[in-house]
Amino acid sequence: MRARSAMAVAALTALVLTLPVATASATPATPRALPVGPGQATAPGAFVPIGLTRALDTRSDQENPAGAARKLQPGESFDVPLSAWQNHPPRELPVVPADATAVVVNVTATNTTAAGYLTVRRDGAMPGAPVTSTLNFEAGETVSNMITVAVDPRGANSSPQINVYNNAGTTDVVVDILGYYAPSTPQRPGHRYDPVRPTRLADTRVEGGRLGRGGVVTANVARRDLGTADATAVVLNVTAVDPSTEGFVVAHPSSWPLPAEGSHLNYGPGRTVANQVVVPVGPEGTIEFFNTGSTDLVVDIVGYYGPSGHNLYSAVTEQARLLDTRPGAGAWAFSTLEFPVAGRSGVPDNATAVTLNVTATEPQADGHLAVFAADGTAARPSTSNLNFDAGRTVANGVAAQLGGNPGSVAVYHHAAGFTQVIADLTGWFVKG
């Protein structure tokens, strides 16, 4: 992979995690629920982690399938190939195979010139603008989001692909692949998923002390007490708490070298930022988090993939809105919202967990959201999924276990005043 240049590092250090949402000055996607039924979700697949792999950087001649560095234009729908392609000089991506059903990517908008949104989707040939968004941005902002999206197998040159739609202004876009779902084969033994009750693995505020430039946190993720002893990849929520500088965090198996490009979590001074990440697990069972700025770091585990996992994943071909508290009062101070998921928008009754984009917008005070199974028996976890500042829209990808009858999700709102909450469905897990 191409090593980070000084310019690339400067451009990426200020990444801020968000998810699809309308803000006061951004142009929102039309909020409406999408009826996703049979035939509108991918076949269940097992997961194959590949680590951080750059698929697109519109700022780079070598990492843009268009053949030259150029920004996305307003209203442009841009196809992103996920398997091998060549440019000048010749370059090859690690292959996402033709039978892949869905891909997990980090998507970033940077160098934006107007308020707008990006939508990451399966098929760019659909008429009209997308009806949901993946991330919203203001002019001059850099915004990122991790999303799982169904793969279009009909790409150019037989490469599976996804599509990025830019709503307004011009923007550069960066796409990094973290892994993909596909039928398991002897040559490619993908693994099944199991959720884990959200559990804190590391917190430098409690142990180890604040991280400086070059600081490393090591977390043991393959643990018998969590049921993750044979994990081949883990799903984590990583949070930079009260950073005093710009910087980024890169996660990788302890036995692997630091990736040459890409990052999992980017932050700026004064803002607590979280991101969900998927990271392969090496034979030693630990993951390192390399930091480039000054921040405290919190790491929570929410799920894992491995031979002992039970669940396969289906991605919706179009995102569906399950919850939007606007234009009402939203979530009141220190309250819990519960909403049914199973049986809605195509989610089968036997789904065990879902992947969501969860957004806090128009918050009246600083706070956080915690997303968990609404089973009515267990206490809410002592972890969080996203943190927000008063008046700012913040969001994050969530893998949420389902509880209750029908399967439902709970969102705990820890803040004074109220906050509007949005949840968009991207897929679900079923035993298989």
Side-chain angles (χ1 to χ4, degrees):
M1 292 185 289
R2 182 180 58 85
R4 286 188 187 94
S5 68
M7 181 178 296
V9 170
L12 288 173
T13 53
L15 299 188
V16 178
L17 266 293
T18 191
L19 290 176
V21 64
T23 63
S25 55
T27 304
T30 304
R32 68 178 180 90
L34 302 177
V36 181
Q40 293 179 284
T42 63
F47 185 68
V48 180
I50 61 174
L52 277 171
T53 303
R54 180 64 44 88
L56 170 70
D57 187 343
T58 62
R59 301 166 300 179
S60 166
D61 291 343
Q62 287 74 43
E63 295 178 322
N64 189 337
R70 72 168 186 86
K71 301 169 78 172
L72 267 63
Q73 301 301 302
E76 182 176 7
S77 192
F78 192 87
D79 290 333
V80 182
L82 301 173
S83 65
W85 56 275
Q86 289 188 333
N87 209 325
H88 303 287
R91 178 176 180 271
E92 183 174 285
L93 288 175
V95 171
V96 172
D99 64 345
T101 56
V103 65
V104 183
V105 293
N106 274 336
V107 180
T108 303
T110 190
N111 301 323
T112 58
T113 60
Y117 62 85
L118 295 182
T119 299
V120 183
R121 55 185 177 169
R122 175 181 183 270
D123 187 359
M126 297 177 64
V131 295
T132 61
S133 59
T134 301
L135 59 86
N136 294 65
F137 50 79
E138 300 285 344
E141 280 191 329
T142 297
V143 181
S144 297
N145 178 34
M146 192 195 89
I147 186 171
T148 304
V149 59
V151 167
D152 185 352
R154 302 165 299 169
N157 301 319
S158 300
S159 169
Q161 66 183 27
I162 57 176
N163 180 269
V164 180
Y165 172 86
N166 177 44
N167 143 262
T170 62
T171 181
D172 280 309
V173 178
V174 179
V175 176
D176 290 318
I177 305 171
L178 305 182
Y180 61 87
Y181 293 92
S184 186
T185 67
Q187 295 76 28
R188 189 192 58 223
H191 288 133
R192 290 168 167 81
Y193 175 80
D194 271 351
V196 172
R197 179 169 175 79
T199 302
R200 186 139 293 171
L201 301 180
D203 187 343
T204 62
R205 299 170 299 178
V206 176
E207 183 178 2
R210 190 176 182 86
L211 294 177
R213 182 176 179 84
V216 174
V217 170
T218 301
N220 181 9
V221 298
R223 290 170 40 177
R224 292 189 179 278
D225 62 318
L226 295 177
T228 61
D230 65 346
T232 55
V234 287
V235 183
L236 307 170
N237 202 65
V238 183
T239 306
V241 180
D242 192 26
S244 58
T245 67
E246 291 187 345
F248 59 84
V249 176
V250 182
H252 62 97
S254 298
S255 59
W256 293 19
L258 186 70
E261 61 183 353
S263 59
H264 286 98
L265 172 67
N266 297 263
Y267 56 81
R271 290 195 61 208
T272 296
V273 181
N275 188 19
Q276 183 172 264
V277 304
V278 178
V279 189
V281 178
E284 70 292 327
T286 58
I287 288 175
E288 290 185 353
F289 301 84
F290 177 82
N291 175 61
T292 66
S294 175
T295 188
D296 277 304
L297 196 70
V298 174
V299 180
D300 301 322
I301 187 169
V302 299
Y304 80 100
Y305 300 89
S308 65
H310 298 89
N311 298 281
L312 300 174
Y313 183 77
S314 292
V316 297
T317 55
E318 292 183 81
Q319 294 181 28
R321 185 143 293 170
L322 297 180
L323 175 70
D324 188 345
T325 63
R326 302 169 300 174
W332 288 98
F334 309 106
S335 65
T336 299
L337 290 170
E338 294 188 6
F339 59 98
V341 175
R344 296 180 59 202
S345 297
V347 180
D349 291 339
N350 63 340
T352 58
V354 291
T355 55
L356 304 169
N357 283 342
V358 178
T359 303
T361 189
E362 303 173 21
Q364 293 184 325
D366 298 355
H368 68 260
L369 298 181
V371 184
F372 55 101
D375 56 19
T377 57
R380 67 175 180 267
S382 58
T383 58
S384 62
N385 291 92
L386 61 91
N387 298 69
F388 51 83
D389 298 331
R392 293 195 65 117
T393 295
V394 179
N396 200 4
V398 173
Q401 190 171 4
L402 297 182
N405 186 19
S408 300
V409 168
V411 181
Y412 173 66
H413 171 241
H414 183 91
F418 67 79
T419 301
Q420 304 291 357
V421 180
I422 299 168
D424 291 327
L425 173 74
T426 57
W428 59 77
F429 293 94
V430 293
K431 290 186 178 180

